[in-house]
PDB file of all heavy atoms in Angstrom:
ATOM      1  N   TYR A 161       5.489  -5.985 -27.070  1.00 37.00           N
ATOM      2  CA  TYR A 161       5.483  -4.523 -26.992  1.00 37.00           C
ATOM      3  C   TYR A 161       5.395  -4.209 -25.587  1.00 37.00           C
ATOM      4  O   TYR A 161       4.618  -4.755 -24.860  1.00 37.00           O
ATOM      5  CB  TYR A 161       4.302  -4.085 -27.694  1.00 37.00           C
ATOM      6  CG  TYR A 161       3.663  -5.070 -28.361  1.00 37.00           C
ATOM      7  CD1 TYR A 161       2.490  -5.620 -27.912  1.00 37.00           C
ATOM      8  CD2 TYR A 161       4.208  -5.595 -29.561  1.00 37.00           C
ATOM      9  CE1 TYR A 161       1.890  -6.590 -28.646  1.00 37.00           C
ATOM     10  CE2 TYR A 161       3.598  -6.589 -30.269  1.00 37.00           C
ATOM     11  CZ  TYR A 161       2.444  -7.054 -29.807  1.00 37.00           C
ATOM     12  OH  TYR A 161       1.799  -8.042 -30.497  1.00 37.00           O
ATOM     13  N   GLY A 162       6.001  -3.323 -25.208  1.00 36.00           N
ATOM     14  CA  GLY A 162       5.932  -3.019 -23.735  1.00 36.00           C
ATOM     15  C   GLY A 162       4.653  -2.202 -23.557  1.00 36.00           C
ATOM     16  O   GLY A 162       3.952  -1.948 -24.491  1.00 36.00           O
ATOM     17  N   TYR A 163       4.414  -2.019 -22.451  1.00 38.00           N
ATOM     18  CA  TYR A 163       3.162  -1.365 -22.240  1.00 38.00           C
ATOM     19  C   TYR A 163       3.310   0.125 -22.435  1.00 38.00           C
ATOM     20  O   TYR A 163       2.673   0.853 -22.839  1.00 38.00           O
ATOM     21  CB  TYR A 163       2.722  -1.569 -20.866  1.00 38.00           C
ATOM     22  CG  TYR A 163       3.632  -1.080 -19.803  1.00 38.00           C
ATOM     23  CD1 TYR A 163       3.179  -0.378 -18.887  1.00 38.00           C
ATOM     24  CD2 TYR A 163       4.939  -1.435 -19.871  1.00 38.00           C
ATOM     25  CE1 TYR A 163       3.929  -0.004 -17.804  1.00 38.00           C
ATOM     26  CE2 TYR A 163       5.761  -0.921 -18.809  1.00 38.00           C
ATOM     27  CZ  TYR A 163       5.241  -0.210 -17.815  1.00 38.00           C
ATOM     28  OH  TYR A 163       6.016   0.227 -16.849  1.00 38.00           O
ATOM     29  N   GLY A 164       4.199   0.750 -22.170  1.00 36.00           N
ATOM     30  CA  GLY A 164       4.081   2.095 -22.236  1.00 36.00           C
ATOM     31  C   GLY A 164       3.588   2.689 -23.437  1.00 36.00           C
ATOM     32  O   GLY A 164       2.690   3.389 -23.443  1.00 36.00           O
ATOM     33  N   SER A 165       3.985   2.619 -24.416  1.00 35.00           N
ATOM     34  CA  SER A 165       3.413   3.247 -25.563  1.00 35.00           C
ATOM     35  C   SER A 165       2.734   4.558 -25.284  1.00 35.00           C
ATOM     36  O   SER A 165       2.671   5.346 -26.108  1.00 35.00           O
ATOM     37  CB  SER A 165       2.639   2.352 -26.307  1.00 35.00           C
ATOM     38  OG  SER A 165       1.636   1.896 -25.742  1.00 35.00           O
ATOM     39  N   VAL A 166       2.152   4.699 -24.295  1.00 38.00           N
ATOM     40  CA  VAL A 166       1.394   5.893 -24.133  1.00 38.00           C
ATOM     41  C   VAL A 166       2.033   6.892 -23.243  1.00 38.00           C
ATOM     42  O   VAL A 166       3.009   7.419 -23.362  1.00 38.00           O
ATOM     43  CB  VAL A 166       0.089   5.600 -23.717  1.00 38.00           C
ATOM     44  CG1 VAL A 166      -0.863   6.486 -24.427  1.00 38.00           C
ATOM     45  CG2 VAL A 166      -0.194   4.246 -24.039  1.00 38.00           C
ATOM     46  N   ASN A 167       1.477   7.036 -22.128  1.00 37.00           N
ATOM     47  CA  ASN A 167       1.979   8.080 -21.305  1.00 37.00           C
ATOM     48  C   ASN A 167       2.902   7.557 -20.368  1.00 37.00           C
ATOM     49  O   ASN A 167       2.616   7.023 -19.274  1.00 37.00           O
ATOM     50  CB  ASN A 167       0.879   8.631 -20.592  1.00 37.00           C
ATOM     51  CG  ASN A 167       0.129   7.553 -20.038  1.00 37.00           C
ATOM     52  OD1 ASN A 167       0.444   6.447 -20.308  1.00 37.00           O
ATOM     53  ND2 ASN A 167      -0.929   7.778 -19.458  1.00 37.00           N
ATOM     54  N   MET A 168       4.075   7.695 -20.511  1.00 36.00           N
ATOM     55  CA  MET A 168       4.988   7.308 -19.562  1.00 36.00           C
ATOM     56  C   MET A 168       5.409   8.514 -18.837  1.00 36.00           C
ATOM     57  O   MET A 168       6.084   8.545 -17.933  1.00 36.00           O
ATOM     58  CB  MET A 168       6.174   6.772 -20.261  1.00 36.00           C
ATOM     59  CG  MET A 168       6.102   5.418 -20.478  1.00 36.00           C
ATOM     60  SD  MET A 168       4.780   4.783 -19.644  1.00 36.00           S
ATOM     61  CE  MET A 168       5.349   3.550 -18.745  1.00 36.00           C
TER      62      MET A 168
END
Side-chain angles (χ1 to χ4, degrees):
Chain A
Y161 351 104
Y163 60 130
S165 56
V166 219
N167 46 3
M168 269 351 236

